Amino acid sequence: VFMLATKSDDSVNGCITNTCMQVANSPLRVAISVINANYTCELIKKSGIFSLSILDKSCTFETIKHFGFQSGRDVNKFANIKCPVDINGVPYMGWQTCAVISCKVVDSIDLGSHTLFIAEIEDANVLSQNEPLTYAYYQSNIKPKPEKKISDKKIIGWRCKICNYVY
């Protein structure tokens, strides 16, 4: 799971994504898939640069919620946060992150609902030895579980919907 960030002119934004993979070795390239409706996607299309903060298992739901459950069109996600910046001046998370990758887009493909960006890695740094956060770990250990409703009704029987027999 990643916090994907970018900047274009004076606009900075970031979102949570779970889609990134290495697609070439020489030159070293990655591909990310971003929802077209996301403000981050719009800014990447304008600027052609982004950073990927590889979140680690210490990441909290509050962090996921902050970057993933609100739109940068409505709120400045970096307003009250001091983030380090990469070689392109794009912010990245210096906490709850095991590594950061700085990228320059070399190609993009519109997939309908998403855009696939293919980017060359310009810089990468290890920030901690913590294990990376996987989507499966997020689902089972970080994402809050829905509260179970406690029913006030006491079940005293079962009624057949066909013949009305009560067991």
mmCIF file of all heavy atoms in Angstrom, residues 96-136:
data_model
loop_
_atom_site.group_PDB
_atom_site.id
_atom_site.type_symbol
_atom_site.label_atom_id
_atom_site.label_comp_id
_atom_site.label_asym_id
_atom_site.label_seq_id
_atom_site.Cartn_x
_atom_site.Cartn_y
_atom_site.Cartn_z
ATOM 1 N N GLN A 96 5.824 6.203 9.178
ATOM 2 C CA GLN A 96 4.988 5.050 8.812
ATOM 3 C C GLN A 96 5.297 4.572 7.391
ATOM 4 O O GLN A 96 4.442 4.052 6.690
ATOM 5 C CB GLN A 96 3.497 5.386 8.957
ATOM 6 C CG GLN A 96 3.094 5.783 10.351
ATOM 7 C CD GLN A 96 1.667 6.263 10.457
ATOM 8 O OE1 GLN A 96 0.845 6.083 9.564
ATOM 9 N NE2 GLN A 96 1.332 6.878 11.584
ATOM 10 N N THR A 97 6.544 4.760 6.976
ATOM 11 C CA THR A 97 6.978 4.468 5.616
ATOM 12 C C THR A 97 8.330 3.776 5.657
ATOM 13 O O THR A 97 9.220 4.211 6.388
ATOM 14 C CB THR A 97 7.100 5.796 4.826
ATOM 15 O OG1 THR A 97 5.836 6.451 4.853
ATOM 16 C CG2 THR A 97 7.533 5.586 3.403
ATOM 17 N N CYS A 98 8.488 2.727 4.861
ATOM 18 C CA CYS A 98 9.774 2.027 4.853
ATOM 19 C C CYS A 98 10.680 2.466 3.704
ATOM 20 O O CYS A 98 11.885 2.266 3.758
ATOM 21 C CB CYS A 98 9.585 0.517 4.853
ATOM 22 S SG CYS A 98 8.598 -0.137 3.508
ATOM 23 N N ALA A 99 10.097 3.080 2.653
ATOM 24 C CA ALA A 99 10.914 3.546 1.531
ATOM 25 C C ALA A 99 10.140 4.583 0.732
ATOM 26 O O ALA A 99 8.917 4.686 0.844
ATOM 27 C CB ALA A 99 11.309 2.380 0.634
ATOM 28 N N VAL A 100 10.876 5.333 -0.084
ATOM 29 C CA VAL A 100 10.251 6.303 -0.975
ATOM 30 C C VAL A 100 10.885 6.157 -2.353
ATOM 31 O O VAL A 100 12.091 5.905 -2.472
ATOM 32 C CB VAL A 100 10.379 7.747 -0.446
ATOM 33 C CG1 VAL A 100 11.830 8.172 -0.342
ATOM 34 C CG2 VAL A 100 9.599 8.709 -1.318
ATOM 35 N N ILE A 101 10.059 6.295 -3.376
ATOM 36 C CA ILE A 101 10.510 6.216 -4.763
ATOM 37 C C ILE A 101 10.073 7.501 -5.468
ATOM 38 O O ILE A 101 8.916 7.906 -5.363
ATOM 39 C CB ILE A 101 9.895 4.996 -5.485
ATOM 40 C CG1 ILE A 101 10.220 3.700 -4.748
ATOM 41 C CG2 ILE A 101 10.358 4.929 -6.924
ATOM 42 C CD1 ILE A 101 9.463 2.491 -5.281
ATOM 43 N N SER A 102 10.991 8.136 -6.175
ATOM 44 C CA SER A 102 10.697 9.349 -6.945
ATOM 45 C C SER A 102 10.697 8.989 -8.424
ATOM 46 O O SER A 102 11.633 8.360 -8.915
ATOM 47 C CB SER A 102 11.757 10.416 -6.685
ATOM 48 O OG SER A 102 11.812 10.704 -5.307
ATOM 49 N N CYS A 103 9.635 9.399 -9.126
ATOM 50 C CA CYS A 103 9.450 8.946 -10.502
ATOM 51 C C CYS A 103 9.093 10.069 -11.463
ATOM 52 O O CYS A 103 8.483 11.058 -11.082
ATOM 53 C CB CYS A 103 8.323 7.916 -10.546
ATOM 54 S SG CYS A 103 8.614 6.463 -9.526
ATOM 55 N N LYS A 104 9.458 9.834 -12.730
ATOM 56 C CA LYS A 104 9.108 10.725 -13.829
ATOM 57 C C LYS A 104 8.343 9.903 -14.859
ATOM 58 O O LYS A 104 8.833 8.868 -15.325
ATOM 59 C CB LYS A 104 10.367 11.321 -14.461
ATOM 60 C CG LYS A 104 10.068 12.251 -15.614
ATOM 61 C CD LYS A 104 11.359 12.810 -16.187
ATOM 62 C CE LYS A 104 11.025 13.706 -17.369
ATOM 63 N NZ LYS A 104 12.244 14.206 -18.009
ATOM 64 N N VAL A 105 7.147 10.347 -15.209
ATOM 65 C CA VAL A 105 6.289 9.625 -16.148
ATOM 66 C C VAL A 105 6.919 9.643 -17.540
ATOM 67 O O VAL A 105 7.334 10.699 -18.022
ATOM 68 C CB VAL A 105 4.869 10.247 -16.184
ATOM 69 C CG1 VAL A 105 4.015 9.579 -17.247
ATOM 70 C CG2 VAL A 105 4.206 10.146 -14.809
ATOM 71 N N VAL A 106 6.980 8.462 -18.170
ATOM 72 C CA VAL A 106 7.482 8.369 -19.544
ATOM 73 C C VAL A 106 6.376 7.989 -20.524
ATOM 74 O O VAL A 106 6.519 8.182 -21.722
ATOM 75 C CB VAL A 106 8.666 7.377 -19.659
ATOM 76 C CG1 VAL A 106 9.868 7.889 -18.883
ATOM 77 C CG2 VAL A 106 8.273 5.977 -19.223
ATOM 78 N N ASP A 107 5.268 7.450 -20.000
ATOM 79 C CA ASP A 107 4.142 7.090 -20.856
ATOM 80 C C ASP A 107 2.906 6.906 -19.977
ATOM 81 O O ASP A 107 3.013 6.669 -18.771
ATOM 82 C CB ASP A 107 4.428 5.795 -21.616
ATOM 83 C CG ASP A 107 3.579 5.628 -22.872
ATOM 84 O OD1 ASP A 107 2.749 6.517 -23.167
ATOM 85 O OD2 ASP A 107 3.748 4.611 -23.558
ATOM 86 N N SER A 108 1.736 7.028 -20.596
ATOM 87 C CA SER A 108 0.490 6.774 -19.863
ATOM 88 C C SER A 108 -0.530 6.192 -20.826
ATOM 89 O O SER A 108 -0.486 6.454 -22.031
ATOM 90 C CB SER A 108 -0.039 8.051 -19.213
ATOM 91 O OG SER A 108 -0.391 8.994 -20.186
ATOM 92 N N ILE A 109 -1.429 5.395 -20.270
ATOM 93 C CA ILE A 109 -2.482 4.762 -21.049
ATOM 94 C C ILE A 109 -3.795 4.965 -20.316
ATOM 95 O O ILE A 109 -3.913 4.616 -19.135
ATOM 96 C CB ILE A 109 -2.221 3.250 -21.219
ATOM 97 C CG1 ILE A 109 -0.867 3.009 -21.892
ATOM 98 C CG2 ILE A 109 -3.344 2.582 -22.018
ATOM 99 C CD1 ILE A 109 -0.366 1.581 -21.783
ATOM 100 N N ASP A 110 -4.780 5.541 -20.995
ATOM 101 C CA ASP A 110 -6.104 5.719 -20.409
ATOM 102 C C ASP A 110 -6.826 4.380 -20.478
ATOM 103 O O ASP A 110 -7.035 3.829 -21.562
ATOM 104 C CB ASP A 110 -6.883 6.794 -21.169
ATOM 105 C CG ASP A 110 -8.197 7.159 -20.488
ATOM 106 O OD1 ASP A 110 -8.736 6.338 -19.713
ATOM 107 O OD2 ASP A 110 -8.685 8.272 -20.740
ATOM 108 N N LEU A 111 -7.203 3.854 -19.333
ATOM 109 C CA LEU A 111 -7.869 2.552 -19.251
ATOM 110 C C LEU A 111 -9.368 2.687 -19.003
ATOM 111 O O LEU A 111 -10.023 1.716 -18.647
ATOM 112 C CB LEU A 111 -7.237 1.714 -18.133
ATOM 113 C CG LEU A 111 -5.731 1.472 -18.250
ATOM 114 C CD1 LEU A 111 -5.215 0.774 -17.000
ATOM 115 C CD2 LEU A 111 -5.409 0.682 -19.498
ATOM 116 N N GLY A 112 -9.909 3.875 -19.170
ATOM 117 C CA GLY A 112 -11.326 4.108 -18.903
ATOM 118 C C GLY A 112 -11.502 4.691 -17.516
ATOM 119 O O GLY A 112 -11.480 5.896 -17.334
ATOM 120 N N SER A 113 -11.634 3.828 -16.527
ATOM 121 C CA SER A 113 -11.811 4.296 -15.150
ATOM 122 C C SER A 113 -10.493 4.729 -14.509
ATOM 123 O O SER A 113 -10.477 5.492 -13.557
ATOM 124 C CB SER A 113 -12.451 3.198 -14.291
ATOM 125 O OG SER A 113 -11.597 2.064 -14.225
ATOM 126 N N HIS A 114 -9.373 4.220 -15.020
ATOM 127 C CA HIS A 114 -8.047 4.485 -14.461
ATOM 128 C C HIS A 114 -7.090 4.934 -15.567
ATOM 129 O O HIS A 114 -7.348 4.708 -16.749
ATOM 130 C CB HIS A 114 -7.460 3.213 -13.828
ATOM 131 C CG HIS A 114 -8.131 2.783 -12.576
ATOM 132 N ND1 HIS A 114 -9.437 2.357 -12.524
ATOM 133 C CD2 HIS A 114 -7.668 2.694 -11.309
ATOM 134 C CE1 HIS A 114 -9.745 2.035 -11.280
ATOM 135 N NE2 HIS A 114 -8.693 2.238 -10.521
ATOM 136 N N THR A 115 -5.975 5.516 -15.150
ATOM 137 C CA THR A 115 -4.857 5.766 -16.054
ATOM 138 C C THR A 115 -3.682 4.954 -15.548
ATOM 139 O O THR A 115 -3.393 4.942 -14.347
ATOM 140 C CB THR A 115 -4.482 7.261 -16.111
ATOM 141 O OG1 THR A 115 -5.579 7.974 -16.688
ATOM 142 C CG2 THR A 115 -3.239 7.491 -16.946
ATOM 143 N N LEU A 116 -3.029 4.261 -16.462
ATOM 144 C CA LEU A 116 -1.811 3.525 -16.149
ATOM 145 C C LEU A 116 -0.637 4.423 -16.505
ATOM 146 O O LEU A 116 -0.489 4.836 -17.654
ATOM 147 C CB LEU A 116 -1.744 2.227 -16.958
ATOM 148 C CG LEU A 116 -0.538 1.341 -16.696
ATOM 149 C CD1 LEU A 116 -0.644 0.713 -15.303
ATOM 150 C CD2 LEU A 116 -0.433 0.262 -17.759
ATOM 151 N N PHE A 117 0.150 4.792 -15.489
ATOM 152 C CA PHE A 117 1.337 5.605 -15.703
ATOM 153 C C PHE A 117 2.560 4.699 -15.661
ATOM 154 O O PHE A 117 2.720 3.914 -14.724
ATOM 155 C CB PHE A 117 1.482 6.671 -14.604
ATOM 156 C CG PHE A 117 0.418 7.724 -14.630
ATOM 157 C CD1 PHE A 117 -0.635 7.686 -13.731
ATOM 158 C CD2 PHE A 117 0.472 8.773 -15.547
ATOM 159 C CE1 PHE A 117 -1.618 8.658 -13.742
ATOM 160 C CE2 PHE A 117 -0.506 9.762 -15.559
ATOM 161 C CZ PHE A 117 -1.555 9.696 -14.665
ATOM 162 N N ILE A 118 3.402 4.809 -16.674
ATOM 163 C CA ILE A 118 4.675 4.100 -16.684
ATOM 164 C C ILE A 118 5.724 5.167 -16.422
ATOM 165 O O ILE A 118 5.760 6.204 -17.096
ATOM 166 C CB ILE A 118 4.904 3.382 -18.020
ATOM 167 C CG1 ILE A 118 3.782 2.363 -18.231
ATOM 168 C CG2 ILE A 118 6.282 2.707 -18.043
ATOM 169 C CD1 ILE A 118 3.672 1.828 -19.624
ATOM 170 N N ALA A 119 6.557 4.924 -15.414
ATOM 171 C CA ALA A 119 7.482 5.959 -14.974
ATOM 172 C C ALA A 119 8.876 5.400 -14.729
ATOM 173 O O ALA A 119 9.033 4.257 -14.292
ATOM 174 C CB ALA A 119 6.954 6.614 -13.698
ATOM 175 N N GLU A 120 9.855 6.232 -15.006
ATOM 176 C CA GLU A 120 11.231 5.888 -14.724
ATOM 177 C C GLU A 120 11.561 6.320 -13.302
ATOM 178 O O GLU A 120 11.204 7.428 -12.888
ATOM 179 C CB GLU A 120 12.158 6.598 -15.718
ATOM 180 C CG GLU A 120 13.564 6.059 -15.678
ATOM 181 C CD GLU A 120 14.363 6.482 -16.902
ATOM 182 O OE1 GLU A 120 13.790 6.532 -18.013
ATOM 183 O OE2 GLU A 120 15.560 6.757 -16.726
ATOM 184 N N ILE A 121 12.230 5.440 -12.571
ATOM 185 C CA ILE A 121 12.636 5.769 -11.202
ATOM 186 C C ILE A 121 13.855 6.680 -11.266
ATOM 187 O O ILE A 121 14.873 6.325 -11.861
ATOM 188 C CB ILE A 121 12.928 4.502 -10.383
ATOM 189 C CG1 ILE A 121 11.643 3.694 -10.217
ATOM 190 C CG2 ILE A 121 13.544 4.858 -9.030
ATOM 191 C CD1 ILE A 121 11.798 2.400 -9.464
ATOM 192 N N GLU A 122 13.717 7.854 -10.684
ATOM 193 C CA GLU A 122 14.812 8.818 -10.664
ATOM 194 C C GLU A 122 15.625 8.740 -9.378
ATOM 195 O O GLU A 122 16.805 9.064 -9.368
ATOM 196 C CB GLU A 122 14.265 10.238 -10.833
ATOM 197 C CG GLU A 122 13.629 10.459 -12.194
ATOM 198 C CD GLU A 122 13.261 11.912 -12.428
ATOM 199 O OE1 GLU A 122 12.584 12.504 -11.550
ATOM 200 O OE2 GLU A 122 13.656 12.444 -13.467
ATOM 201 N N ASP A 123 14.964 8.292 -8.288
ATOM 202 C CA ASP A 123 15.638 8.195 -7.000
ATOM 203 C C ASP A 123 14.821 7.267 -6.111
ATOM 204 O O ASP A 123 13.603 7.156 -6.283
ATOM 205 C CB ASP A 123 15.754 9.579 -6.345
ATOM 206 C CG ASP A 123 16.723 9.611 -5.171
ATOM 207 O OD1 ASP A 123 17.678 8.804 -5.156
ATOM 208 O OD2 ASP A 123 16.537 10.452 -4.267
ATOM 209 N N ALA A 124 15.476 6.593 -5.184
ATOM 210 C CA ALA A 124 14.792 5.721 -4.228
ATOM 211 C C ALA A 124 15.622 5.660 -2.951
ATOM 212 O O ALA A 124 16.853 5.641 -3.014
ATOM 213 C CB ALA A 124 14.604 4.325 -4.805
ATOM 214 N N ASN A 125 14.928 5.664 -1.813
ATOM 215 C CA ASN A 125 15.619 5.634 -0.526
ATOM 216 C C ASN A 125 14.889 4.750 0.465
ATOM 217 O O ASN A 125 13.653 4.801 0.554
ATOM 218 C CB ASN A 125 15.719 7.050 0.055
ATOM 219 C CG ASN A 125 16.621 7.937 -0.761
ATOM 220 O OD1 ASN A 125 17.808 7.679 -0.877
ATOM 221 N ND2 ASN A 125 16.050 8.962 -1.370
ATOM 222 N N VAL A 126 15.648 3.968 1.207
ATOM 223 C CA VAL A 126 15.102 3.172 2.303
ATOM 224 C C VAL A 126 15.006 4.097 3.510
ATOM 225 O O VAL A 126 15.965 4.797 3.850
ATOM 226 C CB VAL A 126 16.007 1.964 2.619
ATOM 227 C CG1 VAL A 126 15.519 1.229 3.860
ATOM 228 C CG2 VAL A 126 16.067 1.018 1.427
ATOM 229 N N LEU A 127 13.843 4.117 4.155
ATOM 230 C CA LEU A 127 13.628 4.997 5.312
ATOM 231 C C LEU A 127 13.601 4.248 6.632
ATOM 232 O O LEU A 127 13.824 4.832 7.681
ATOM 233 C CB LEU A 127 12.329 5.786 5.135
ATOM 234 C CG LEU A 127 12.234 6.644 3.869
ATOM 235 C CD1 LEU A 127 10.878 7.331 3.805
ATOM 236 C CD2 LEU A 127 13.352 7.658 3.822
ATOM 237 N N SER A 128 13.246 2.955 6.588
ATOM 238 C CA SER A 128 13.225 2.141 7.814
ATOM 239 C C SER A 128 13.338 0.672 7.432
ATOM 240 O O SER A 128 13.204 0.314 6.265
ATOM 241 C CB SER A 128 11.936 2.377 8.608
ATOM 242 O OG SER A 128 10.861 1.645 8.042
ATOM 243 N N GLN A 129 13.556 -0.145 8.425
ATOM 244 C CA GLN A 129 13.632 -1.589 8.210
ATOM 245 C C GLN A 129 12.284 -2.273 8.479
ATOM 246 O O GLN A 129 12.188 -3.499 8.485
ATOM 247 C CB GLN A 129 14.720 -2.207 9.096
ATOM 248 C CG GLN A 129 16.122 -1.716 8.742
ATOM 249 C CD GLN A 129 16.493 -1.974 7.292
ATOM 250 O OE1 GLN A 129 16.302 -3.061 6.773
ATOM 251 N NE2 GLN A 129 17.000 -0.948 6.617
ATOM 252 N N ASN A 130 11.241 -1.483 8.715
ATOM 253 C CA ASN A 130 9.916 -2.043 8.962
ATOM 254 C C ASN A 130 9.395 -2.748 7.715
ATOM 255 O O ASN A 130 9.724 -2.360 6.596
ATOM 256 C CB ASN A 130 8.928 -0.942 9.368
ATOM 257 C CG ASN A 130 9.288 -0.305 10.685
ATOM 258 O OD1 ASN A 130 10.040 -0.856 11.477
ATOM 259 N ND2 ASN A 130 8.757 0.879 10.926
ATOM 260 N N GLU A 131 8.562 -3.766 7.937
ATOM 261 C CA GLU A 131 7.980 -4.503 6.811
ATOM 262 C C GLU A 131 6.971 -3.640 6.074
ATOM 263 O O GLU A 131 6.215 -2.886 6.685
ATOM 264 C CB GLU A 131 7.262 -5.760 7.321
ATOM 265 C CG GLU A 131 8.180 -6.874 7.737
ATOM 266 C CD GLU A 131 7.388 -8.133 8.072
ATOM 267 O OE1 GLU A 131 6.614 -8.605 7.216
ATOM 268 O OE2 GLU A 131 7.547 -8.621 9.204
ATOM 269 N N PRO A 132 6.932 -3.759 4.736
ATOM 270 C CA PRO A 132 5.934 -2.999 3.968
ATOM 271 C C PRO A 132 4.512 -3.444 4.299
ATOM 272 O O PRO A 132 4.270 -4.593 4.667
ATOM 273 C CB PRO A 132 6.267 -3.314 2.515
ATOM 274 C CG PRO A 132 7.485 -4.140 2.513
ATOM 275 C CD PRO A 132 7.804 -4.545 3.900
ATOM 276 N N LEU A 133 3.596 -2.523 4.161
ATOM 277 C CA LEU A 133 2.180 -2.778 4.406
ATOM 278 C C LEU A 133 1.565 -3.384 3.143
ATOM 279 O O LEU A 133 1.586 -2.755 2.088
ATOM 280 C CB LEU A 133 1.470 -1.467 4.758
ATOM 281 C CG LEU A 133 -0.045 -1.510 4.951
ATOM 282 C CD1 LEU A 133 -0.425 -2.428 6.106
ATOM 283 C CD2 LEU A 133 -0.576 -0.104 5.178
ATOM 284 N N THR A 134 1.025 -4.581 3.262
ATOM 285 C CA THR A 134 0.321 -5.200 2.140
ATOM 286 C C THR A 134 -1.168 -4.899 2.272
ATOM 287 O O THR A 134 -1.661 -4.575 3.356
ATOM 288 C CB THR A 134 0.518 -6.723 2.110
ATOM 289 O OG1 THR A 134 -0.072 -7.281 3.293
ATOM 290 C CG2 THR A 134 1.996 -7.099 2.023
ATOM 291 N N TYR A 135 -1.876 -5.039 1.168
ATOM 292 C CA TYR A 135 -3.320 -4.818 1.192
ATOM 293 C C TYR A 135 -4.003 -5.833 2.103
ATOM 294 O O TYR A 135 -4.917 -5.484 2.843
ATOM 295 C CB TYR A 135 -3.883 -4.887 -0.229
ATOM 296 C CG TYR A 135 -5.327 -4.472 -0.310
ATOM 297 C CD1 TYR A 135 -5.700 -3.149 -0.110
ATOM 298 C CD2 TYR A 135 -6.327 -5.410 -0.576
ATOM 299 C CE1 TYR A 135 -7.030 -2.762 -0.182
ATOM 300 C CE2 TYR A 135 -7.658 -5.027 -0.644
ATOM 301 C CZ TYR A 135 -7.998 -3.704 -0.448
ATOM 302 O OH TYR A 135 -9.318 -3.328 -0.510
ATOM 303 N N ALA A 136 -3.528 -7.073 2.085
ATOM 304 C CA ALA A 136 -4.107 -8.111 2.949
ATOM 305 C C ALA A 136 -3.909 -7.762 4.427
ATOM 306 O O ALA A 136 -4.827 -7.917 5.235
ATOM 307 C CB ALA A 136 -3.490 -9.467 2.636
#
